[in-house]
Amino acid sequence: MKTVTYLVPNISCKHCTHAIKMELSEIEGVSSVDADVQTRLVNISFDDPATEQQLKDLLAEINYPVAE
Ligand SMILES: [Cu+2]
């Protein structure tokens, strides 16, 4: 099991964190997603076949790109 934390600057309210949780949870292999409105940090636990690239690509696709 891998856990990553990303800073997602576009998070501005509860709807953002909800959308991020819903979308990421649909990726096969993702077991938990936590997103915080205050810190704008997204915490994701995942296993194969999910990859970090896949998580980042999805976030970019739904307009919540990860900060470099
Ligand atoms: Cu929002």
Side-chain angles (χ1 to χ4, degrees):
M1 169 92 66
K2 284 192 201 168
T3 302
V4 291
T5 303
Y6 298 137
L7 175 62
V8 179
N10 284 359
I11 291 176
S12 60
C13 71
K14 271 187 174 175
H15 294 118
C16 299
T17 55
H18 182 73
I20 287 170
K21 285 182 197 174
M22 296 303 285
E23 294 284 346
L24 285 176
S25 296
E26 285 185 14
I27 295 178
E28 197 187 341
V30 171
S31 49
S32 83
V33 181
D34 217 7
D36 189 274
V37 178
Q38 305 298 325
T39 62
R40 296 175 186 173
L41 293 175
V42 178
N43 213 288
I44 307 156
S45 295
F46 65 99
D47 262 315
D48 292 344
T51 64
E52 259 205 86
Q53 191 59 54
Q54 198 182 357
L55 304 176
K56 287 183 178 178
D57 286 350
L58 180 93
L59 285 167
E61 210 173 283
I62 62 171
N63 258 304
Y64 293 106
V66 172
E68 290 305 325

